[in-house]
Amino acid sequence: MSKAIHRKENEVLIQLIRTLRREAGLSQEQCCWKLGRPQSFMSDVERGIRRLDLVQVRDLCTVFGIS
């Protein structure tokens, strides 16, 4: 089994996160400000460099205004 970061499911998650961020009307910088993280955090997530744990996914959902 390949590493999770290289799996198709991870690419789908990355695309979904990018879409949800844009639909929320947030730039990467605005999103990170709300998360209390540096702008490079979202850049790394959206480029597939950084993996997210479930707590981070939940935090992103909160920032995007979804459950």
Side-chain angles (χ1 to χ4, degrees):
M1 187 175 286
S2 63
K3 289 186 175 187
I5 201 161
H6 300 293
R7 292 177 58 175
K8 179 67 177 167
E9 295 93 331
N10 193 58
E11 183 58 34
V12 170
L13 177 61
I14 290 168
Q15 291 298 325
L16 179 60
I17 288 170
R18 183 179 296 122
T19 299
L20 291 170
R21 176 182 59 77
R22 289 176 177 165
E23 287 177 356
L26 298 171
S27 67
Q28 287 182 348
E29 185 176 9
Q30 291 167 323
C31 184
C32 287
W33 183 82
K34 290 180 177 223
L35 291 169
R37 305 294 303 255
Q39 183 274 330
S40 60
F41 174 78
M42 279 309 292
S43 177
D44 290 348
V45 167
E46 292 184 9
R47 289 186 297 144
I49 296 172
R50 178 183 294 270
R51 287 182 54 190
L52 297 173
D53 62 30
L54 288 175
V55 174
Q56 292 169 319
V57 170
R58 184 200 62 196
D59 291 346
L60 283 171
C61 288
T62 300
V63 168
F64 299 153
I66 60 174
S67 59

